[in-house]
Amino acid sequence: MRAFNRIAALVLSLALIVGGLFIAVQAVLAAFHRAPWPLPLRSWHDDLVGTRLDDPVTTIVAAALGVIGLVLLIAELRPWRPSRLPVHPATADPSSAWWVVRGPAERRLAAATARIPGVNKARVRLRGRHRWKVNVRAEARDESRRRIAEAIEDELDRLAAPAHVRVRLRLRKPRRVT
């Protein structure tokens, strides 16, 4: 969602910049008693003044803009996953705060899972803010469950994860290759 926010902010800022420059050009032309450029503003003004609020096009445009605004507001109010997670290394001072970036930690856990023979398409998602929850999805047989859990626990120890991390394994049987 961060990428969407950045793109939306870029588009909105560019629209505001272009609109502001357009209004500035129109103001300068009006100050020098010149005709409006590049658009026929007089016909636009007449159309806008002559349009009624009960016009179907006006109602549809207003409703669409309202729905888009509500969707964007709800998307922004939704709590998103933080990009970093707190860790507790054994050598650290208890008053100091240590953090690990979520994306690389997820990739390390997925790589540790994928190194096990017979495990394919490993995906790991880390959730939680202070208590970690690890969701592992992989294509593997049930016999590999213990080895996957051990690999995840070892990697969590290397990452200095907090105690009592909840690990959830979802294994799918590998597809047969014929």
Side-chain angles (χ1 to χ4, degrees):
M1 193 63 179
R2 289 186 185 107
F4 172 77
N5 286 344
R6 289 179 179 159
I7 292 170
L10 176 69
V11 169
L12 181 61
S13 63
L14 288 176
L16 290 173
I17 288 171
V18 169
L21 289 174
F22 179 74
I23 289 172
V25 167
Q26 297 304 321
V28 168
L29 289 174
F32 289 116
H33 304 291
R34 304 278 179 165
W37 177 85
L39 303 171
L41 294 182
R42 177 58 61 195
S43 64
W44 279 28
H45 179 267
D46 294 339
D47 288 342
L48 289 175
V49 170
T51 302
R52 298 178 47 94
L53 287 178
D54 60 353
D55 184 34
V57 174
T58 305
T59 306
I60 291 171
V61 168
L65 288 175
V67 168
I68 290 171
L70 282 175
V71 167
L72 289 175
L73 179 66
I74 290 169
E76 287 301 316
L77 291 177
R78 179 181 179 268
W80 296 99
R81 297 185 325 161
S83 61
R84 61 185 190 160
L85 297 168
V87 296
H88 305 288
T91 59
D93 178 19
S95 63
S96 65
W98 290 72
W99 301 88
V100 65
V101 180
R102 179 184 303 274
E106 288 176 344
R107 287 190 291 275
R108 282 186 65 166
L109 290 166
T113 304
R115 279 193 293 269
I116 298 170
V119 177
N120 298 317
K121 299 179 184 176
R123 288 184 46 207
V124 176
R125 292 286 176 237
L126 280 172
R127 294 184 1 198
R129 295 194 187 279
H130 299 290
R131 265 192 94 173
W132 291 20
K133 296 172 190 147
V134 180
N135 290 328
V136 180
R137 286 184 176 193
E139 214 176 72
R141 298 198 181 279
D142 279 337
E143 299 86 43
S144 303
R145 185 175 294 276
R146 185 184 51 78
R147 289 189 292 166
I148 293 171
E150 288 172 0
I152 292 291
E153 290 297 326
D154 290 344
E155 196 61 36
L156 286 171
D157 286 340
R158 284 189 201 96
L159 290 171
H164 309 297
V165 175
R166 192 180 95 196
V167 178
R168 183 176 174 193
L169 294 175
R170 286 194 209 164
L171 300 180
R172 223 177 41 205
K173 287 187 178 182
R175 288 189 262 168
R176 290 181 92 173
V177 178
T178 56

